[in-house]
């Protein structure tokens, strides 16, 4: 992980926030200089701030997902950890699974941006958390909560002798 600090004078920072950048007469949107944020291919943007893609990461992300799903009957891709969720939706999912006393694995997508985007592509689901049971994608927070409220989640975990605990 690389962290870079950017040092701006108070005046330069104020100029950026208020849409003023020297003699530049570009338009402002909500008081912010729109030109500076409109395009990532701007020639005045430093390479560190341009989008970067690593070749060959798709296979490693797919391998990670497949290993996670094979090793765990129930798995959650979430923001944070079950004991320290960094998103209310992820926290709710963990609380519901804990209430059913379900053993589950999890992975913090905030630690790996490629995995965060890769899991969304894998499931064609745009949001995190994402819940899997028996290797199959169940849904996100909203789907899990609906299943909890209508009783189908209990059936999924405990019906017919099928237990995930």
């Amino acid at each position: 992980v690389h962290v870079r600090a950017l040092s701006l004078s108070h005046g330069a920072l104020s100029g950026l926030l208020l849409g003023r950048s020297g003699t530049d007469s570009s338009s402002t949107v909500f008081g912010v200089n729109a030109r500076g944020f409109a395009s990532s291919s701007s020639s005045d943007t430093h390479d560190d701030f341009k989008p970067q893609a690593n070749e060959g990461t798709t296979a490693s992300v797919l391998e990670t997902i497949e290993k996670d799903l094979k090793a765990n009957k129930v798995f959650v891709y979430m923001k944070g950890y079950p004991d320290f969720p960094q998103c209310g939706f992820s926290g709710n999912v963990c609380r519901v699974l804990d209430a059913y006393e379900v053993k589950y694995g999890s992975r913090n997508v905030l630690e790996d941006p490629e995995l965060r985007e890769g899991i969304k592509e894998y499931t064609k689901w745009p949001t995190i958390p994402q819940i899997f049971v028996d290797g199959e994608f169940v849904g996100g927070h909203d789907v899990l909560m609906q299943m909890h409220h209508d009783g189908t989640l209990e059936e999924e975990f405990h019906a017919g002798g099928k237990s995930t605990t």
Side-chain angles (χ1 to χ4, degrees), residues 2-19:
H2 291 56
V3 178
R4 289 190 179 248
L6 178 62
S7 175
L8 293 174
S9 68
H10 177 63
L13 182 58
S14 296
L16 280 174
L17 295 176
L18 297 175

Side-chain angles (χ1 to χ4, degrees), residues 6 16 21 24 26 33-50:
L6 178 62
L16 280 174
S21 57
D24 191 333
S26 59
N33 183 342
R35 186 188 63 82
F37 300 102
S39 172
S40 62
S41 63
S42 175
S43 62
D44 63 349
T45 299
H46 190 277
D47 287 343
D48 288 346
F49 300 105
K50 291 181 181 175

Side-chain angles (χ1 to χ4, degrees), residues 62-122:
L62 184 59
E63 286 175 17
T64 299
I65 293 168
E66 289 174 353
K67 285 180 187 176
D68 289 342
L69 299 182
K70 285 179 185 174
N72 299 275
K73 192 165 184 74
V74 179
F75 200 84
V76 180
Y77 289 95
M78 61 182 292
K79 295 178 183 175
Y81 303 94
D83 292 336
F84 188 69
Q86 294 181 337
C87 158
F89 297 120
S90 293
N92 286 344
V93 164
C94 292
R95 282 193 289 275
V96 167
L97 294 175
D98 291 343
Y100 286 96
E101 298 179 345
V102 172
K103 288 183 188 177
Y104 60 98
S106 68
R107 189 173 294 275
N108 179 5
V109 299
L110 297 177
E111 292 179 343
D112 186 346
E114 292 172 0
L115 178 64
R116 183 177 183 176
E117 292 308 310
I119 192 64
K120 293 176 186 179
E121 291 174 22
Y122 183 84

